[in-house]
Amino acid sequence: MDKSKNQVVTEKSIRLLQQNQYTFHVDSKLTKTEMKYWIERFFNVEVRGINSSRVAGRKKKKRNELNSSCTSCKKMIVRLRDNYFIPLFLN
């Protein structure tokens, strides 16, 4: 899927793995329904719920230009049903 940018590996996301929750950076136009459909089809799992939040783009400062901003994206935390997991998530 081209709308899923990458997996998020931070201290918080590693703690969430113990609770069967997986964190992804995705395209800002992707909806929860589309993400749920893709995760269930691609990994053959059942999704219990999805939380999403927008991650603001960072400001860039250049000498002769005004502040320009990088692209922003969404962060989605996908919670799976019991007895399901996404294998090799940390690769």
Side-chain angles (χ1 to χ4, degrees), residues 20-59:
N20 211 17
Q21 296 180 8
Y22 300 86
T23 308
F24 297 93
H25 275 154
V26 297
D27 186 29
S28 61
K29 296 178 184 177
L30 189 68
T31 64
K32 290 182 181 181
T33 310
E34 292 171 341
M35 182 69 172
K36 179 179 178 180
Y37 178 79
W38 181 76
I39 291 286
E40 287 179 343
R41 297 298 176 260
F42 189 77
F43 293 111
N44 197 22
V45 295
E46 288 187 25
V47 174
R48 183 174 171 202
I50 295 179
N51 294 339
S52 67
S53 62
R54 292 199 179 267
V55 178
R58 296 182 181 184
K59 296 282 184 182

Side-chain angles (χ1 to χ4, degrees), residues 34-88:
E34 292 171 341
M35 182 69 172
K36 179 179 178 180
Y37 178 79
W38 181 76
I39 291 286
E40 287 179 343
R41 297 298 176 260
F42 189 77
F43 293 111
N44 197 22
V45 295
E46 288 187 25
V47 174
R48 183 174 171 202
I50 295 179
N51 294 339
S52 67
S53 62
R54 292 199 179 267
V55 178
R58 296 182 181 184
K59 296 282 184 182
K60 287 185 178 179
K61 290 187 179 180
K62 295 184 179 179
R63 278 188 178 177
N64 298 328
E65 296 180 19
L66 296 174
N67 290 342
S68 61
S69 61
C70 294
T71 60
S72 59
C73 62
K74 270 188 187 177
K75 179 173 71 173
M76 289 200 178
I77 300 174
V78 179
R79 186 176 44 227
L80 301 181
R81 294 204 183 269
D82 295 336
N83 301 324
Y84 288 98
F85 64 96
I86 296 176
L88 304 173

